[in-house]
Amino acid sequence: MPPERPRAVTINDVAALAGVSIATASKALNGRGQVRAETRDRVFAAARELSFQPNPLARSLVTGQTRTVGLLTSDSVGRFGIPVMLGAEDAFGSGETAVLLCDARGDAFREQHYLRTLLARRVDGLIVVGESTDPRPSISRDLPIPVVYAYAPSDHPEDVSFVPDDVAGSGDAVRHLIALGRRRIAHVTGPTHYTAARERAEGALAALQTAGLPLSGDRVVYGAWSQRWGRHAAEIVLNADPEVDAVFCGSDQIAAGLIEAARERGRRVPDDIAVVGYDNWEVLSEETRPPLTTMDMNLELLGRTAAQHLFAAIEGRATSGIHRMPCRLVIRDSAAPPTIR
């Protein structure tokens, strides 16, 4: 005869070992109701000793929660969306919460289909991850569950959104260049219709104004998020001000192209021109010659923080509004003090 399967440990066994009622054991394990600290510790000790695993269905019936959340994205293969999702998943994993990932691919009909699917699965909450920092339409008003927006903020002021603080980050980038002794600083960035391009220009100009310095070339050079644009922009910057000694670029792609074109024109980076990028896209920033000083948006931390706030929202403790997360300067050779290079 095959060996008899061991009986699954139940909450009744935990309660008996802890010397409490089944109701008290349930409250302690689910964090509900008033249970004294020493009683809760005794229940958890009994659960560990017995290797007790709560039944998810039974727990959902007691708590009204399924311990599953939805992660809805339009950028599942992008270099911005992936680190945000990794950070969020890390936080959910530590909270023993399952994640259902849905990629709408920027399609509004696909997004609505996935929303209906997630609601049918009775998820406790939802994180919406955008593909840029441009505001997106709110979906919170139509849903019976909490929603937190990450990277792309909601256009509704009462929603909870987490975005990188591009104004402060670009200000830090320019202040770094000023601290290196650079005084003729240009700014090259992406298209004007992107929130990121406008906010990074705003932060750069504010830092220059505070330092009493003009913008080299007298204007922000807007264009595209590409290396090709960076190469073309280098010509514009060098022709507008041949004495330019630093360039803050709105993305690493732009910076890589600009460094390449500057080198072709006989300008040494960083000796003649210091260059700072944005995004810390390591495929580029670590491989550029020389390696690129850049602003890191801390996207994994942003995703982790968004997930932690979703937990709070599920418990009724949401903090509405747009929360701006700090960026971090990563210093490499393209704009480093001589002692570091």
Side-chain angles (χ1 to χ4, degrees), residues 173 189 300:
T189 192
E300 284 199 35

Side-chain angles (χ1 to χ4, degrees), residues 11-330:
I11 196 169
N12 303 48
D13 301 315
V14 174
L17 182 59
V20 299
S21 69
I22 296 173
T24 299
S26 176
K27 289 178 183 179
L29 291 171
N30 289 297
R32 299 173 66 87
Q34 297 296 320
V35 179
R36 289 188 302 175
E38 57 267 32
T39 302
R40 181 179 293 106
D41 291 344
R42 202 161 68 246
V43 170
F44 273 96
R48 284 193 299 271
E49 182 177 335
L50 296 171
S51 300
F52 172 67
Q53 295 292 328
N55 182 295
L57 177 60
R59 183 163 61 182
S60 70
L61 292 173
V62 173
T63 65
Q65 297 178 0
T66 60
R67 287 188 178 270
T68 59
V69 296
L71 196 59
L72 179 63
T73 181
S74 294
D75 189 36
S76 66
V77 297
R79 67 180 186 273
F80 303 123
I82 287 177
V84 173
M85 290 187 288
L86 287 174
E89 200 279 333
D90 183 53
F92 290 136
S94 65
E96 298 183 351
T97 297
V99 181
L100 302 179
L101 172 63
C102 300
D103 181 10
R105 304 178 194 175
D107 185 306
F109 291 104
R110 189 185 296 267
E111 179 174 281
Q112 288 300 313
H113 164 70
Y114 282 133
L115 286 173
R116 290 192 296 269
T117 301
L118 290 169
L119 290 175
R121 296 290 185 92
R122 296 182 62 241
V123 295
D124 298 326
L126 176 66
I127 287 185
V128 179
V129 181
E131 57 185 342
S132 76
T133 56
D134 294 339
R136 57 148 293 146
S138 172
I139 59 174
S140 308
R141 307 279 79 77
D142 302 324
L143 298 181
I145 57 174
V147 181
V148 172
Y149 300 82
Y151 196 60
S154 165
D155 61 4
H156 197 289
E158 293 183 8
D159 289 338
V160 183
S161 303
F162 289 86
V163 299
D165 193 342
D166 282 338
V167 175
S170 57
D172 289 343
V174 170
R175 281 187 287 272
H176 173 69
L177 291 169
I178 294 171
L180 294 177
R182 309 300 169 130
R183 294 296 179 266
R184 304 177 77 95
I185 302 172
H187 180 40
V188 177
T189 192
T192 56
H193 63 269
Y194 274 86
T195 298
R198 296 194 303 273
E199 290 190 342
R200 290 169 194 178
E202 178 187 342
L205 293 173
L208 287 171
Q209 184 177 26
T210 299
L213 296 174
L215 177 68
S216 174
D218 296 325
R219 69 181 181 94
V220 175
V221 185
Y222 289 100
W225 304 114
S226 69
Q227 287 177 253
R228 175 180 293 182
W229 165 241
R231 289 191 292 270
H232 180 60
E235 301 293 329
I236 296 174
V237 167
L238 292 169
N239 289 336
D241 181 6
E243 301 302 315
V244 61
D245 61 6
V247 183
F248 166 48
C249 298
S251 78
D252 290 346
Q253 286 178 288
I254 295 172
L258 186 138
I259 289 174
E260 180 184 332
R263 185 169 56 243
E264 290 173 355
R265 288 191 51 161
R267 301 299 181 95
R268 298 169 301 166
V269 177
D271 297 338
D272 300 324
I273 301 177
V275 178
V276 175
Y278 211 100
D279 299 335
N280 195 26
W281 189 23
E282 293 178 350
V283 171
L284 274 178
S285 59
E286 292 185 347
E287 301 302 325
T288 303
R289 292 184 301 149
L292 183 63
T293 294
T294 182
M295 294 303 303
D296 190 313
M297 292 183 286
N298 289 326
L299 293 180
E300 284 199 35
L301 175 61
L302 188 151
R304 197 155 52 244
T305 305
Q308 291 165 350
H309 276 70
L310 182 59
F311 286 139
I314 291 170
E315 296 172 0
R317 297 184 287 107
T319 306
S320 62
I322 296 177
H323 303 265
R324 302 189 182 277
M325 302 291 294
C327 301
R328 174 176 59 92
L329 181 68
V330 179

